[in-house]
Each structure stands twice: as C-alpha cells, then as structure tokens.
C-alpha cells in the first residue's frame, strides 16, 4: 500500500505541477488590424437649423459688405464726375467772361464796326447813293440774324426814320451774309 500511496501521491503532484507550470512554447497572438472608427457627431434638428441660420446670416453680411463697397465705388465715381463737371463749368464761365471782356474792348468793337460798315457798303452803297436825299449820316439797325429793321437819316442834327429808304434796302439781294450775333447799328457818314 505504500507503493500505491506514493504512486498516487506522485501522480497527483505531477498533475499539480503540470497544471501550474507553463510549457516553453512560444505563443503568437494574432494581431487584429483595427479599422479607424469615425466619431460621427450626431446633430439635432435644432442644432442643424441654428448652424444653417448662422451660415445664412454670414452670407447675407458678406453680400451687404459687397453692396456697400460697390455703392462706395459708385459714389466715388459720381463725386469725381461731379467734381470734373464743376471744374468744367467754372472753366467755361471763365472763358465766357474772357470772351465778353475781349468783345467789349474798344479795339474789338472798332474792328466789328469796321467789318459791319464794309459789309453794308459792299451790299447797299449803290442803293444809298441812288437814293435822292440830303443827309449828313445814315444809321441802319440790324437784328441778330443780320436783317435790317430800322433805317434813320441824320438831318440837321437829329435822326429821322426813313421808311422809303428801308423799303429800297430790303429789295437789295445781299451777296454775302452778315450775322453779327447780336443786334447792331451801323452808322455811315455821307461823304
């Protein structure tokens, strides 16, 4: 019995040892490749609507800024055009004032009077010489288009209107037009 006991005890000891000790086997663990997991953030409808509203507001602000920039550019252009127009208007006023000053100078008036007298003599001298009248001077008034509207003779120190001479002068066919631009009076002395 001793032998059986020792055998049983030995077998039990071997079993305990075998169960508690590890073998020298190399265990290779299978490595699993993990798929990246996306963290999907779930939005509620309210959150989505709030974000969409913020995007719309930001877009509207950008459009407003663009419109303001365009309006500012248009205003700058309009201002520059108005400035140029004002400068042109001032320059034109200066030119008109200079022209009036030049036209009111004695030399210019004398030149225009000489031109008007030469024109009158070239076109009407024959009729005036043929008109049988004793006068010291002749004054003919022309409108802005150069048409005669009054004829007066200087007799005994005063001007006397002469309708007969005016009718004679109206019959004359003018060889070249004379447009003084304003009403003038041509005075011719009888030689």
């Amino acid at each position: 019995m001793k032998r059986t006991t020792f055998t049983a005890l030995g077998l039990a000891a071997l079993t305990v040892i075998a169960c508690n000790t590890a073998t020298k086997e190399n265990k290779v663990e299978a490595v699993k490749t993990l798929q990246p997991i996306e963290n999907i953030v779930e939005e509620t409808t309210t959150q989505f609507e709030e974000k969409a509203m913020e995007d719309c507001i930001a877009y509207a602000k950008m459009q407003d800024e663009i419109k303001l920039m365009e309006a500012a550019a248009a205003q700058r252009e309009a201002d520059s055009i108005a400035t140029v127009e004002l400068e042109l208007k001032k320059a034109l006023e200066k030119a008109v004032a200079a022209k009036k000053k030049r036209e009111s100078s004695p030399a210019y008036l004398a030149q225009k009077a000489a031109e008007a007298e030469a024109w009158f003599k070239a076109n009407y001298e024959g009729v005036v010489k043929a008109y049988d009248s004793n006068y010291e001077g002749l004054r003919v008034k022309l409108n802005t288009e150069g048409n005669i509207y009054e004829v007066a003779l200087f007799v005994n120190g005063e001007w006397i209107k002469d309708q007969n001479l005016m009718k004679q002068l109206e019959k004359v066919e003018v060889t070249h037009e004379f447009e003084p631009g304003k009403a003038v009076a041509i005075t011719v002395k009888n030689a």
Side-chain angles (χ1 to χ4, degrees):
M1 177 138 153
K2 281 185 180 183
R3 190 175 172 189
T4 326
T5 307
F6 281 116
T7 305
L9 275 175
L11 280 175
L14 278 175
T15 306
V16 170
I17 291 173
C19 286
N20 288 330
T21 58
T23 59
K24 289 188 176 180
E25 294 176 13
N26 288 334
K27 288 186 182 179
V28 177
E29 292 183 22
V31 177
K32 291 184 184 178
T33 56
L34 298 175
Q35 297 293 330
I37 298 174
E38 293 182 23
N39 291 334
I40 299 175
V41 179
E42 293 183 23
E43 289 182 312
T44 62
T45 304
T46 306
Q47 290 172 335
F48 177 77
E49 289 174 350
E50 287 174 356
K51 187 177 179 200
M53 185 60 76
E54 289 172 1
D55 291 344
C56 286
I57 291 170
Y59 180 73
K61 284 182 180 178
M62 280 194 308
Q63 283 185 326
D64 288 344
E65 289 175 7
I66 290 170
K67 287 179 183 176
L68 286 173
M69 288 188 300
E70 289 174 348
Q75 186 62 42
R76 282 192 303 273
E77 183 178 340
D79 290 346
S80 65
I81 290 171
T83 302
V84 169
E85 286 176 345
L86 183 61
E87 290 172 359
L88 286 174
K89 184 178 177 183
K90 287 179 181 178
L92 183 61
E93 288 172 355
K94 286 180 181 178
V96 168
K99 182 180 178 185
K100 284 182 180 179
K101 185 177 180 180
R102 186 179 67 245
E103 289 178 352
S104 65
S105 70
Y108 183 82
L109 293 174
Q111 176 191 357
K112 282 298 186 183
E115 288 175 8
E117 190 173 337
W119 172 82
F120 182 79
K121 283 184 177 181
N123 289 291
Y124 298 103
E125 189 171 36
V127 173
V128 172
K129 283 185 179 181
Y131 188 70
D132 189 23
S133 179
N134 188 15
Y135 62 91
E136 298 169 30
L138 170 68
R139 180 177 66 202
V140 179
K141 291 186 179 180
L142 305 169
N143 61 16
T144 56
E145 289 81 31
N147 298 325
I148 298 172
Y149 68 91
E150 182 181 307
V151 176
L153 297 173
F154 192 65
V155 179
N156 297 328
E158 65 180 281
W159 292 101
I160 302 170
K161 291 183 183 180
D162 190 340
Q163 291 297 324
N164 292 329
L165 180 57
M166 185 168 162
K167 288 178 184 176
Q168 295 294 320
L169 293 176
E170 285 176 347
K171 293 178 184 177
V172 174
E173 193 170 316
V174 179
T175 57
H176 63 284
E177 298 296 323
F178 178 70
E179 292 186 25
K182 55 185 176 181
V184 295
I186 301 171
T187 305
V188 181
K189 292 189 177 188
N190 192 11

